[in-house]
Amino acid sequence: MVSGTVLVTGGTGYIGSFTALALLEAGYKVVIIDNLYNSSKEVINRIELICGKKPEYVECDITDEKALDAVFQTYSDIDSVIHFAALKAVGESGEIPLEYYRVNVYGTLCLLKAMSKHNVTNIVFSSSATVYGDATRFPNMIPIPEECPLGPTNPYGNTKFTVETMIIDHINAERTKAKKEGKDDKVFNGALLRYFNPAGSHPSGIMGEDPQGVPYNLLPLLAQVAVGKREKLLVFGDDYKSKDGTAIRDYIHILDLSRGHLVALNYLREKQPGVRAWNLGTGVGSTVFEMIKAFSTAVGRDLPYEVVGRRAGDVLNLTANADRANSELGWKTEHTLEEACADLWRWTENNPQGYRQEPPKAFVDA
Ligand code: NAD
Ligand code: WQD
């Protein structure tokens, strides 16, 4: 059993909430901060319903230095941070790039400064496969290993790349300073987790992705088609060089992804590796048509779709080579795509209003 207190920024969001749950289940204490820009506080109750433990929650904007300082002061036992809070819509990042730099880059800068001030030395960062950009320009690098040259192609990706660089520079500087001062320099560590495409929900059907605006990603859009909120799915291009012409992605179950954070944090605390990047993906790619079929099977009927032109900025294939996480972290995915689709459908059916409704009665009574 582990011990320690972890600050989870963006912890009421999709991946943050599942990671908070995984941390609590493993024995960590959890403090969540979020400004609820893209999430709901109801998720705290759902976490407690599932695991019987409640994370601490503070409404806080990561760009507010004073508020951050107060969080670290109040919870002075925080020893590590898992940092999810960010804006994440690729298209929007092209329209309001400065807002993406303010929240994602300046917000992380505020967080690192506050960590430094309060002697918090471990950070796990939500990076993204998007930092690789169009990896198909290196044909021998599909599936994509961490050594693949980085080359983001949109402002959102640029912010993730910038933050990765900032964390590397910061941890290196902290280590150098500690060494000079005759202190333990090995306590400063960072994990850069490059996720591929998160998918699915909690098998209980009471926790899942609940985007506040119009969803951008394939599976939430398919879920809206299934419940009739959307007439059909628009398939962005069937002229890619794949087996059925549609683009290939690596869809990873949210339970595997969140467990990846737990094992990465444990690794930082035990092995003190400095800063290291790990891909979190299954290593198996699926096309858009395969995803429509898999989700239709979970729903039990065919879902309508129409092929339209390619979406600007999309690439043929983003599939992870996850060997490094497998061998170093001892982590590999355990849940299938079929489970991800079945879990997503259970969540969607049980919670048509997402977190803006009470948890399903059957679960509460059980
Ligand atoms: P999400 O929007 O569900 O979660 C992000 C959370 O951050 C939200 O709860 C939001 O309210 C909060 N937030 C935003 N701005 C904030 C601020 N200024 N201060 C405090 N909180 C703020 O998104 P997610 O899918 O859970 O993504 C989590 C992280 O993982 C993000 O950093 C994202 O870029 C990264 N990521 C996501 C994906 C994906 O496909 N979902 C893939 C790769 C990486
Ligand atoms: C998946 C596939 C689309 C919607 C994005 C970000 C990436 C990461 C994950 C944060 C693609 C196709 C989609 C639709 C479609 N996020 N599609 N019709 O683009 O792989 O990755 O989310 O870091 O950075 O770029 O995910 O779910 O949007 O698309 O045909 O209505 O589904 O073209 O091939 P993507 P996605």
Side-chain angles (χ1 to χ4, degrees):
M1 199 68 162
V2 293
S3 67
T5 301
V6 185
L7 177 70
V8 180
T9 78
T12 46
Y14 177 39
I15 310 171
S17 58
F18 279 83
T19 303
L21 175 66
L23 291 165
L24 287 167
E25 286 175 336
Y28 283 108
K29 287 203 282 173
V30 172
V31 179
I32 285 178
I33 58 171
D34 203 298
N35 68 354
L36 303 182
Y37 173 78
N38 193 35
S39 53
S40 157
K41 224 181 123 181
E42 169 62 17
V43 78
I44 305 285
N45 298 328
R46 307 292 175 103
I47 292 173
E48 191 184 15
L49 273 174
I50 291 173
C51 76
K53 295 179 199 167
K54 197 170 186 156
E56 297 290 329
Y57 170 76
V58 182
E59 194 165 324
C60 169
D61 192 305
I62 55 161
T63 62
D64 182 339
E65 294 195 49
K66 276 195 188 137
L68 270 181
D69 191 44
V71 169
F72 282 103
Q73 242 163 28
T74 306
Y75 300 98
S76 55
D77 53 346
I78 291 171
D79 56 62
S80 306
V81 173
I82 306 188
H83 177 34
F84 295 97
L87 303 181
K88 63 163 186 175
V90 172
E92 184 186 62
S93 77
E95 292 154 22
I96 47 169
L98 295 186
E99 187 57 8
Y100 274 68
Y101 281 91
R102 188 183 73 81
V103 176
N104 297 6
V105 178
Y106 175 68
T108 307
L109 187 147
C110 294
L111 179 67
L112 291 173
K113 269 171 70 178
M115 287 174 65
S116 218
K117 180 172 171 195
H118 294 275
N119 300 315
V120 178
T121 57
N122 292 316
I123 181 162
V124 176
F125 171 60
S126 289
S127 189
S128 166
T130 198
V131 294
Y132 296 115
D134 185 2
T136 46
R137 67 199 195 283
F138 306 106
N140 59 337
M141 292 219 173
I142 303 281
I144 307 168
E146 289 82 355
E147 297 79 15
C148 180
L150 305 186
T153 54
N154 55 66
Y156 165 72
N158 289 335
T159 68
K160 290 289 169 190
F161 172 73
T162 305
V163 171
E164 282 201 5
T165 312
M166 185 161 72
I167 291 174
I168 294 167
D169 288 343
H170 175 68
I171 298 283
N172 287 342
E174 292 277 49
R175 282 195 164 211
T176 306
K177 182 166 155 248
K179 208 171 199 168
K180 263 193 204 147
E181 293 170 353
K183 296 181 187 154
D184 182 3
D185 61 320
K186 300 279 187 296
V187 292
F188 296 97
N189 295 286
L192 311 174
L193 301 183
R194 297 177 183 154
Y195 324 148
F196 284 66
N197 293 56
S201 310
H202 196 270
S204 64
I206 68 160
M207 239 177 96
E209 183 171 14
D210 183 25
Q212 302 295 294
V214 181
Y216 169 88
N217 294 115
L218 178 64
L219 279 172
L221 286 166
L222 262 176
Q224 288 200 341
V225 174
V227 292
K229 279 191 190 165
R230 199 168 280 271
E231 189 198 332
K232 60 192 167 192
L233 182 88
L234 300 179
V235 174
F236 297 142
D238 65 353
D239 56 350
Y240 286 99
K241 281 187 186 155
S242 68
K243 57 184 160 192
D244 59 23
T246 62
I248 303 162
R249 297 289 182 271
D250 183 336
Y251 297 90
I252 171 174
H253 196 296
I254 188 68
L255 291 181
D256 286 322
L257 183 60
S258 49
R259 190 170 39 81
H261 292 74
L262 175 67
V263 296
L265 177 65
N266 290 342
Y267 186 89
L268 292 189
R269 289 159 55 110
E270 284 161 25
K271 301 277 197 287
Q272 303 189 317
V275 187
R276 188 106 174 113
W278 288 282
N279 285 339
L280 295 181
T282 65
V284 178
S286 305
T287 66
V288 177
F289 282 154
E290 285 172 333
M291 293 306 290
I292 295 175
K293 188 155 182 267
F295 193 62
S296 297
T297 303
V299 174
R301 62 191 144 84
D302 286 342
L303 297 173
Y305 67 84
E306 181 191 338
V307 177
V308 294
R310 290 184 182 193
R311 184 171 65 180
D314 271 354
V315 300
L316 164 65
N317 189 347
L318 279 175
T319 302
N321 176 335
D323 289 353
R324 186 186 284 184
N326 296 167
S327 63
E328 293 181 356
L329 303 178
W331 171 91
K332 62 175 192 303
T333 54
E334 291 171 358
H335 297 277
T336 62
L337 191 60
E338 288 67 33
E339 285 173 74
C341 289
D343 292 338
L344 172 61
W345 180 231
R346 199 172 302 113
W347 157 252
T348 309
E349 265 196 310
N350 283 347
N351 307 266
Q353 305 305 323
Y355 290 124
R356 288 167 297 280
Q357 63 169 76
E358 293 297 308
K361 195 166 180 318
F363 190 89
V364 179
D365 291 346

